Amino acid sequence: MAEPLFYVDRSEILDGRIEQARDGMLDLAAFVAEREPQLMAYHFYLDESASTMSVVAVHPDSASMERHLELGGPKFRAFGSLIRMRSIDVYGQPSPSVVDRLRQKAEYLGGASVTVHTHQAGFSRLIDARSDRRDDLPHD
């Protein structure tokens, strides 16, 4: 079974852009929900001061993240005038192509760092939305 990838990015919302950023979050979440059924989770968060936006996504594998970057590219660029990306962290093993694309995204949206964290130990009990099963249960 492919290893899931956990993606987290953090961005500063530029002064006076919070309402546009909120609209963009809703638009992008709806766009992704409609076009990427393989994604296991995709969420936007704001800190208490509404000055930092975080995106958290769970992909079942690297191919899913690659597909997401391809489909979402134009939508991500629309955030360019609203945010300054500070960091991208990926937990798991993305393909070299995904890492390259993430670096391009980070550069375009503010020159953020991209850090890949390799899995060392642990397990997941994620429900597979396609089959409504957990990945750690026996499958028939």
Side-chain angles (χ1 to χ4, degrees), residues 3-10 57-59 65 88-94 102 115-119:
E3 177 184 328
L5 296 177
F6 300 88
Y7 170 97
V8 179
D9 76 32
R10 287 177 193 80
V58 181
H59 291 271
M65 189 177 286
I88 294 177
D89 288 282
V90 179
Y91 300 85
Q93 192 58 53
L102 289 174
T115 306
V116 176
H117 307 264
T118 58
H119 184 252

Side-chain angles (χ1 to χ4, degrees), residues 38-113:
Q38 83 285 352
L39 248 132
M40 300 169 88
Y42 191 68
H43 300 280
F44 289 85
Y45 296 90
L46 290 174
D47 68 349
E48 292 176 357
S49 67
S51 63
T52 300
M53 175 184 80
S54 297
V55 179
V56 177
V58 181
H59 291 271
D61 54 30
S62 191
S64 170
M65 189 177 286
E66 188 155 0
R67 194 167 30 259
H68 175 70
L69 292 167
E70 171 110 5
L71 290 173
K75 293 282 190 180
F76 304 146
R77 285 189 283 284
F79 273 90
S81 65
L82 308 175
I83 64 169
R84 185 182 63 76
M85 186 170 279
R86 288 190 245 158
S87 65
I88 294 177
D89 288 282
V90 179
Y91 300 85
Q93 192 58 53
S95 70
S97 172
V98 166
V99 174
D100 287 344
R101 293 184 89 156
L102 289 174
R103 287 189 175 124
Q104 291 170 13
K105 176 183 177 181
E107 184 61 33
Y108 180 80
L109 293 174
S113 63

